[in-house]
Amino acid sequence: MVNILDGVKVVELASWTFVPSAGVALSDWGADVVKVEDTRGGDPGRSLVVGGLVKENSRTGQDFMLELGNRGKRSIGLNLKSEQGLEIFKKLVSEADVFLTNWLPAALERLKIDLDELRAANPKLIVAQGTGQGTEGPDASAAGYDSTSYFARSGYSYSLSAPDSIVPFRQTPALGDLPAGLTLAGGVLGALYHRERTGEALPVEVSLLAQALWTIAPDVTAADFFDVEVVPKPELGASFNALVNPYKTSDGRWIQLTFLQPDKNWAAFARRVGLPELAEDERFTPAQNLFKNNAELTEILSSHFASQPYAHWVEVLKDETGAWSPIKSPKEALDDPQTDANGYFIRNKAENGVEYRQVAPPIRFNKETPAPSSAPEYAEHTEQVLLELGYEWPQIIEAKDGGIVS
C-alpha cells in the first residue's frame, strides 16, 4: 500500500476509542504511532466489556473493541507521575510530528504536561486534541463520552427517538467515537499539509459534541430556521412519501425504498413488484397525486410487501434502478459483495490461526486497503521505543526496576 504518512511519528496519550481510533487511521495511512500507557495496566479500554462480549468467547481470542481502537500501534508503559517518566515522555514528544490526546486540561496540568511548553520545545509538533464538549466554555473540563457529549447533549438521541417511545433511542457502541476519530485524523492530515507548505504547526481539535452537531445539522438548522425541535417525522407506520419508506416482509424483514423522484420511478417499479394496474393509476401519478394519496399508497405497499418473504423481494428488486436496499444486519454486511469488491475490510489472521476481518477507515488512497495489523499487548514495545530514543540497556533495566516504565 502507498503509505502517505510514511516517516510521520505520532505520540498518542489517549484512552477508550474516540482519539485512539484517530491513531488507527493515521497508522493505516503509514504513520508510526506510539501509544503511551500508564504503568498500572494501561488504557482502561483494555478492561472494557461491551454487550457481555468477552475476548475469551471470541473466535479469535481477541478483544474486539481494543482491536478496533488500537491496531497497528506500538505500546510503551510510562509512569508519568515520576520525574524520569515525564522526562522520557517529553523526549518522545520532542521527536514526534503529532501529539494525539483526549486528556482533560486538569489531568494534563496535574502531570505537568503543558501543551504550549511541548510546542515550544518542538515547534514542528501538531497537537491534536479530542474532547467531549470542546476546549473552551464552562464545560471544557467536563468528562464526555459519545453516549453523553455526542448522542445525548447534541440532540441526536432526541432526533431519533419516537415521540411516544418509552425510553430514548439507544446508540450502538462507539457510534460517535469512530466518526469523530476519523474527523480528527483528517484534521491532522490538513495540519501536516499546512506545515509542509508554510512551516507552521497548527493545533487541531475535534469534540464529540461538534461531530454530532455536524451529523444532525439538518435537524439543528431546521430548529433555527423554523423554531421546531427536529425536522418533522411521520407517525410510526406512516410516511410523507410512500416511496421513501421501509416495508416489512412476510418473514419479518424489511426493505427500504428511497425514490426521491416518484415520476421517474413509479411506473416501472409498480410493474416490477407485481402491481401493473397501478402504474398509470391517476391516484398515484403524477407525483402531486401520489403525495395527495400517500396514506392510501403506503397501505397498499405495506400489504403487498407483507405478502412475500424477504428473499423474494430482494430477487424481484435486484435490477431496480431506483434507490432501494434490504435492511441488513451487521453480520450480513460482512458478506455484502460490495464491501469485498471495494476493500472495505482488512483481512487478518489471529494468533490462534483464525481468519477475521477488520473494518478499514472509509477514506481510501489509490484504491488500496491498509495492511493487516493488530493491537499491541500492554507495554509490548517499551524497550524498543526507549532504545530508539537513545537509552542504553542498563538505563532501561534501572527504569523498569524503579517502576518508571513497564
Side-chain angles (χ1 to χ4, degrees):
M1 179 180 175
V2 177
N3 291 321
I4 64 166
L5 296 183
D6 186 33
V8 173
K9 295 183 178 181
V10 179
V11 174
E12 176 188 298
L13 181 64
S15 53
W16 305 110
T17 306
F18 165 23
V19 172
S21 71
V24 167
L26 296 175
S27 173
D28 278 344
W29 300 334
D32 175 19
V33 181
V34 177
K35 183 180 182 69
V36 176
E37 304 190 67
D38 63 33
T39 52
R40 296 171 297 168
D43 187 337
R46 291 184 178 276
S47 303
L48 179 67
V49 176
V50 175
L53 301 174
V54 295
K55 65 180 182 180
E56 289 78 13
N57 295 334
S58 166
R59 293 190 311 113
T60 68
Q62 296 165 298
D63 183 325
F64 78 105
M65 287 298 293
L66 185 71
E67 289 294 315
L68 193 64
N70 291 286
R71 58 184 176 75
K73 303 174 186 176
R74 297 192 289 166
S75 169
I76 176 174
L78 272 181
N79 180 0
L80 294 176
K81 293 182 179 180
S82 69
E83 185 176 336
Q84 189 178 352
L86 188 58
E87 179 185 314
I88 294 171
F89 171 77
K90 289 183 176 180
K91 186 171 184 180
L92 183 62
V93 175
S94 73
E95 299 184 4
D97 295 285
V98 180
F99 175 50
L100 279 178
T101 188
N102 66 352
W103 283 36
L104 293 170
L108 292 172
E109 186 178 341
R110 283 196 302 270
L111 292 174
K112 300 179 182 177
I113 297 175
D114 185 292
L115 299 182
D116 290 332
E117 182 182 304
L118 293 179
R119 282 192 291 261
N122 180 3
K124 73 172 186 177
L125 183 68
I126 293 167
V127 173
Q129 290 180 272
T131 66
Q133 290 77 225
T135 58
E136 300 173 291
D139 293 330
S141 294
Y145 292 93
D146 71 336
S147 59
T148 57
S149 306
Y150 181 87
F151 203 59
R153 186 165 187 164
S154 68
Y156 201 162
S157 178
Y158 187 102
S159 71
L160 291 182
S161 301
D164 57 350
S165 176
I166 298 174
V167 295
F169 190 94
R170 299 184 69 176
Q171 68 167 83
T172 57
L175 181 69
D177 290 334
L178 294 170
L182 189 67
T183 298
L184 185 59
V188 168
L189 291 184
L192 286 168
Y193 177 68
H194 180 78
R195 191 187 70 180
E196 183 71 20
R197 292 173 59 240
T198 68
E200 181 184 24
L202 297 176
V204 180
E205 61 180 78
V206 172
S207 76
L208 291 166
L209 178 57
Q211 180 72 38
L213 291 171
W214 176 254
T215 303
I216 60 163
D219 277 317
V220 176
T221 305
D224 194 25
F225 278 34
F226 299 99
D227 196 26
V228 295
E229 295 293 340
V230 296
V231 172
K233 292 183 288 188
E235 295 180 4
L236 290 177
S239 70
F240 293 139
N241 176 354
L243 299 183
V244 180
N245 200 42
Y247 289 99
K248 195 173 186 179
T249 64
S250 64
D251 51 354
R253 297 295 302 271
W254 292 85
I255 300 293
Q256 174 69 46
L257 303 181
T258 306
F259 299 166
L260 297 179
Q261 298 174 283
D263 286 336
K264 179 180 179 181
N265 302 115
W266 168 245
F269 169 77
R271 296 186 181 97
R272 184 184 302 280
V273 297
L275 295 171
E277 68 280 7
L278 300 183
E280 308 298 333
D281 193 312
E282 293 183 356
R283 290 174 297 171
F284 310 128
T285 184
Q288 295 93 316
N289 291 344
L290 185 150
F291 297 142
K292 181 179 178 181
N293 297 293
N294 184 65
E296 184 178 1
L297 182 55
T298 300
E299 185 175 342
I300 291 171
L301 291 178
S302 294
S303 176
H304 192 61
F305 273 93
S307 69
Q308 297 289 344
Y310 175 82
H312 169 82
W313 293 118
V314 170
E315 178 64 23
V316 166
L317 292 170
K318 67 180 181 181
D319 295 322
E320 172 59 47
T321 57
W324 73 280
S325 177
I327 295 181
K328 295 188 174 186
S329 71
K331 189 173 183 180
E332 289 173 317
L334 277 170
D335 297 314
D336 188 318
Q338 280 300 112
T339 61
D340 187 53
N342 287 280
Y344 292 161
F345 293 119
I346 301 167
R347 296 186 178 274
N348 206 353
K349 182 179 287 188
E351 288 186 4
N352 64 6
V354 172
E355 295 184 353
Y356 66 98
R357 285 160 287 186
Q358 299 164 313
V359 180
I363 300 172
R364 300 178 75 203
F365 298 99
N366 200 35
K367 296 185 179 295
E368 294 178 334
T369 300
S373 61
S374 298
E377 296 293 334
Y378 165 64
E380 180 181 345
H381 304 94
T382 296
E383 294 91 342
Q384 183 186 77
V385 172
L386 292 178
L387 287 169
E388 291 173 358
L389 290 175
Y391 291 93
E392 303 289 341
W393 274 112
Q395 295 173 293
I396 296 173
I397 293 170
E398 182 181 354
K400 277 184 169 286
D401 290 342
I404 306 301
V405 300
S406 297

